[in-house]
Amino acid sequence: MSRSIQRRTFLTGAAALAVAATAVGAPPATAAPRASAAATSTAVSAATSTAASTAVSTAFELPDDRAYPEGIAADPRTGDLYVGSYTTGAVYRATPGRRTAEVFLPAGADGRSTANGLKVDRAGRLWVTDSTSGVDVYDLRTRALLARFDVPGNAPRFVNDLAVTADGTVYLTDSVREVVYRVTPAQLAAARGGRATLTTAYDLSGVVAPHPSGAYTLNGIAAQDGYLLTVDMTAGALYRVDLATGDIRQVALSGGDLVNGDGLELVGGRLWAALNGTNTITRWRLSANGTAARLEKSVTDPALQIPTTLVRRNGRTLVVRSQFDKGGPMGPGTPETPFTVAWVHGI
């Protein structure tokens, strides 16, 4: 997930910063295409989309005029979508066939003032990260808070994004501490109805590239059979964490980089990434073992409005339009309302 310019190093450098069509209504078949440009600082023109092949349109609206959405998650059982508010901690739900989401968890729910990464696991639980403290776990049927996991100690932290593996284990990035936390099904069962402490599974602080003090590094994270992928948004690098051995290695990127890399979506052998500060979505082809990735395509369009996270279902891409640069954590201004989640066609 993304952070603010200067205040939270949202950008790097000088200012270091979908579910199926039935899920939320099919995108307009006649949506006018928008021009796009190269996504990353080194992307080659062959990987850049054309106006004839891509378009950005609205999938659904959010009900709060101060939402500044950040994370998105899809319920694999129902097709419902959940979107979190970075500025209030509210969570919204978009149900199949509706063009406007509803409030699922109100602002400030259970003392949470911000909602970053969101994921729904196969057991029907919603995981919501709070960058300031940890992660909350909810029962989607009852909306009850099942457990809360807190970052230990008082040192700075920024719990950012999360991924769920096939066995139900959840991994979370910390953009300040440069670690990946882990919550196992056994830990969740033990904490049910109360609080527990997040435990560090992998420490990448000695692996990520040198960066200015206070810069944010680890951001989006995705799970594949046997390994995790997580992005360093400041350096634009991608890291592979072997779940069996704990080996951490930098993925060899060709055709581009992941500077400003935010949310990741991994489906089969392809990886999608939201690059927040450049209004870009990129698609990468992974090698068989996930140690290399080649940029296949990118879409850059101001209509993406600072994209933070994305989700894919049945060949379609849904992208959160945060508008953080319009009166949100990136700076002053007035957002376009209502806040929306976008379809991005052609990538």
Side-chain angles (χ1 to χ4, degrees), residues 79-285:
D80 290 349
L81 288 169
Y82 296 86
V83 179
S85 168
Y86 176 71
T87 53
T88 71
V91 174
Y92 313 103
R93 179 174 64 185
T95 55
R98 294 180 179 268
R99 296 283 291 180
T100 301
E102 63 180 354
V103 175
F104 181 75
L105 299 172
D110 301 301
R112 186 182 56 252
S113 60
T114 185
N116 299 14
L118 280 74
K119 281 292 185 295
V120 175
D121 65 22
R122 295 179 181 180
R125 295 178 294 243
L126 175 67
W127 298 70
V128 183
T129 64
D130 179 337
S131 62
T132 66
S133 60
V135 62
D136 297 334
V137 189
Y138 288 91
D139 184 312
L140 282 177
R141 183 179 61 85
T142 65
R143 309 190 193 196
L145 178 65
L146 299 176
R148 174 173 292 166
F149 291 85
D150 299 308
V151 177
N154 297 318
R157 80 286 307 274
F158 199 99
V159 184
N160 207 323
D161 207 352
L162 68 164
V164 185
T165 57
D167 68 355
T169 300
V170 174
Y171 294 89
L172 309 97
T173 56
D174 190 318
S175 301
V176 171
R177 297 190 179 188
E178 298 166 348
V179 300
V180 174
Y181 303 113
R182 175 173 54 208
V183 180
T184 67
Q187 289 172 321
L188 176 59
R192 197 172 182 89
R195 304 179 81 114
T197 300
L198 282 172
T199 57
T200 297
Y202 306 103
D203 188 341
L204 281 75
S205 61
V207 178
V208 299
H211 51 274
S213 176
Y216 282 62
T217 54
L218 302 184
N219 199 324
I221 187 170
Q224 185 68 289
D225 292 340
Y227 64 87
L228 305 170
L229 294 176
T230 184
V231 62
D232 175 355
M233 68 180 301
T234 296
L238 185 67
Y239 291 94
R240 180 189 187 277
V241 180
D242 191 295
L243 292 175
T245 67
D247 177 64
I248 301 170
R249 66 166 64 186
Q250 187 171 342
V251 176
L253 302 180
S254 60
D257 59 40
L258 287 166
V259 172
N260 298 321
D262 205 322
L264 302 178
E265 176 80 340
L266 180 56
V267 180
R270 282 191 168 95
L271 177 73
W272 284 258
L275 311 184
N276 51 48
T278 55
N279 286 319
T280 298
I281 304 299
T282 57
R283 187 184 74 212
W284 303 76
R285 167 65 74 175

Side-chain angles (χ1 to χ4, degrees), residues 317-336:
T317 306
L318 283 160
V319 178
V320 172
R321 297 197 271 200
S322 73
Q323 296 196 69
F324 280 0
D325 60 337
K326 298 176 181 176
M330 281 178 64
T334 302
E336 297 178 21

